[in-house]
Amino acid sequence: MAPRILLDATAVPADRGGLGRYVDGLLCALHAQGADLAVVCQRADEERYGGLVPGARIVAGPAALSHRATRLAWEQSGLPHVAEQVAADVIHLPTYTMPVSAALPTVVTIHDVTQFAEPEAHDPVRATYIKSAIRTAARRATRLIAPSRATRDELVRLLAADPANIDVAYHGVDHTVFHRPSEAEIKQVSDRLGLHGHPYVAYLGALEPRKNVPNLIRGWVRSCADRPDAPALVLAGGGGWDDEVDAALATVPLDLRVLRPGYLPWPSLPGFFGGALVVALPSRGEGFGLPVLEAMACGAPVLTTRRGPLPEVGGDAVAYTEPDPPGIGAALDALIDDPSRRAELADAAHVRSRQFSWSASAEAHMASYQRAVDQHEKSRGSRTR
């Protein structure tokens, strides 16, 4: 009999972001495969999850869960109570924290360990807490889920996590949302950005040091400073922090154009990615690289780095660069000046993106949940003998 899974979605932020896309995609695929699901979430998301997974037990947590400190405190006592209330067999925590005294088996997703590998790329106060939480999960969770082999290997190398307790489950991509756009979709985004058909290099993500946005700006300037009809640089998304972004922007020549539209509506992302001359995501560290996969699914020529799991996602279907400004500038030059290469990459990226699905991810998660239940029962049985 399949276990009843309680998925804790209370950490999903209002803007969804990468965590929201992971939780939404996974839940829909688990539901499609007939999983026995319960979901605990913030009150503002109760109706949303009820629509995503009809038939699942949806529990809205206290109103104060929108405050991070309150949510983390509630997770220790309130979440185990909800698990008992819905008769769960296993709890899945989709982001690094967990109740340390849960009586049930726990599965924790560790999205990345860049706080350990590149501490200078993170806010020191927040990173201290996250590192402590990841260490706790690596030590106490029944099983860990990593979104890539690279992240699994880093968990073993940096935290001495037991590789036998780590399951790799690649993220998927919703191909109905992220698809090759029509000309009308491309035009709509271009007009909304005020570009009206002018070419642009696209970036989507948080402004965090590990995302390497300052070096992207500097590399783009190196590539485009002397071009008569230089593509604009569009830095979409929001959140995070990087003190160097404004300093890098201050060096941009007046005849080059940088746009910062903030968060873009979901329906506009295919047009944004697919309409770009190049989608540049030269990250210094990732746990998976979901924006790379989503841009690939939209048939975009993607430029990224060989850091961490990114080659697992991009394979031979993306272009690679070193994360420094000269490398990014040279890689952008090569792509901007070679339309046939961009078209070749766009086609290859779209094909490769089909290898990643939330259905396959859900199957890997279901196997991890079952292993956690089996391990827990075996451990409980050995204690009672």
Side-chain angles (χ1 to χ4, degrees):
M1 185 174 173
R4 171 167 289 183
I5 306 140
L6 173 62
L7 190 143
D8 178 12
T10 58
V12 174
D15 61 39
R16 316 310 295 169
L19 178 61
R21 301 205 294 286
Y22 167 55
V23 170
D24 291 358
L26 175 61
L27 278 174
C28 289
L30 288 170
H31 174 68
Q33 293 179 17
D36 188 354
L37 286 169
V39 181
V40 60
C41 61
Q42 295 190 29
R43 289 187 178 181
D45 286 332
E46 183 177 10
E47 184 175 347
R48 174 185 179 81
Y49 287 118
L52 279 179
V53 282
R57 177 78 180 272
I58 309 298
V59 178
L65 292 189
S66 57
H67 300 285
R68 183 168 173 270
T70 304
R71 187 193 71 76
L72 292 170
W74 173 87
E75 186 177 81
Q76 298 303 313
S77 56
L79 181 60
H81 176 70
V82 172
E84 182 179 350
Q85 177 186 342
V86 302
D89 297 305
V90 59
I91 304 173
H92 179 197
L93 298 112
T95 178
Y96 69 81
T97 61
M98 62 171 286
V100 295
S101 60
L104 292 175
T106 53
V107 176
V108 180
T109 300
I110 305 296
H111 291 274
D112 68 86
V113 287
T114 56
Q115 294 87 357
F116 297 91
E118 291 197 69
E120 71 282 358
H122 294 270
D123 174 84
V125 175
R126 179 170 166 78
T128 297
Y129 171 76
I130 292 175
K131 287 163 72 173
S132 175
I134 291 174
R135 286 192 186 98
T136 298
R139 187 174 66 251
R140 301 184 67 108
T142 312
R143 296 200 70 80
L144 301 177
I145 289 178
S148 64
R149 294 191 303 271
T151 298
R152 176 200 60 195
D153 294 347
E154 288 289 84
L155 277 165
V156 174
R157 182 178 71 87
L158 295 170
L159 281 84
D162 183 353
N165 284 338
I166 306 173
D167 299 305
V168 174
Y170 287 119
H171 291 337
V173 61
D174 186 339
H175 293 279
T176 61
V177 174
F178 295 95
H179 57 269
R180 284 196 127 158
S182 65
E183 290 299 323
E185 288 175 303
I186 291 172
K187 182 179 186 302
Q188 185 178 39
V189 172
S190 180
D191 289 349
R192 181 181 295 163
L193 292 172
L195 291 168
H196 304 291
H198 189 80
Y200 62 94
V201 172
Y203 168 85
L204 178 71
L207 299 180
E208 298 174 352
R210 68 188 177 98
K211 299 295 187 178
N212 205 29
V213 175
N215 280 351
L216 170 58
I217 295 168
R218 297 179 185 115
W220 166 75
V221 169
R222 292 174 76 104
S223 172
C224 295
D226 296 324
R227 293 181 181 272
D229 192 28
L233 177 62
V234 183
L235 304 174
W241 63 277
D242 190 335
D243 296 336
E244 285 191 46
V245 170
D246 288 337
L249 288 172
T251 68
V252 175
L254 293 177
D255 59 335
L256 293 183
R257 189 173 181 186
V258 180
L259 302 178
R260 298 178 68 179
Y263 290 105
L264 296 178
W266 281 110
S268 70
L269 292 182
F272 177 66
F273 282 139
L277 204 62
V278 177
V279 175
L281 301 162
S283 179
R284 288 167 48 187
E286 295 288 341
F288 177 77
L290 195 53
V292 169
L293 177 58
E294 290 167 345
M296 290 166 62
C298 296
V302 176
L303 176 65
T304 188
T305 66
R306 294 190 182 276
R307 297 295 180 94
L310 292 168
E312 293 180 57
V313 179
D316 294 329
V318 301
Y320 294 100
T321 178
E322 290 300 315
D324 58 294
I328 294 170
L332 284 174
D333 277 340
L335 290 172
I336 292 170
D337 293 335
D338 193 344
S340 63
R341 174 63 174 155
R342 295 200 308 271
E344 177 185 286
L345 286 173
D347 289 340
H350 185 255
V351 170
R352 182 172 174 85
S353 74
R354 292 284 173 181
Q355 298 179 21
F356 297 86
S357 69
W358 285 117
S359 177
S361 185
E363 290 178 8
H365 280 76
M366 286 290 287
S368 185
Y369 302 149
Q370 188 62 60
R371 290 186 193 108
V373 171
D374 292 345
Q375 283 177 222
H376 184 74
E377 290 179 353
K378 183 177 179 180
S379 172
R380 187 169 57 181
S382 66
R383 288 198 303 269
T384 59
R385 284 198 294 270

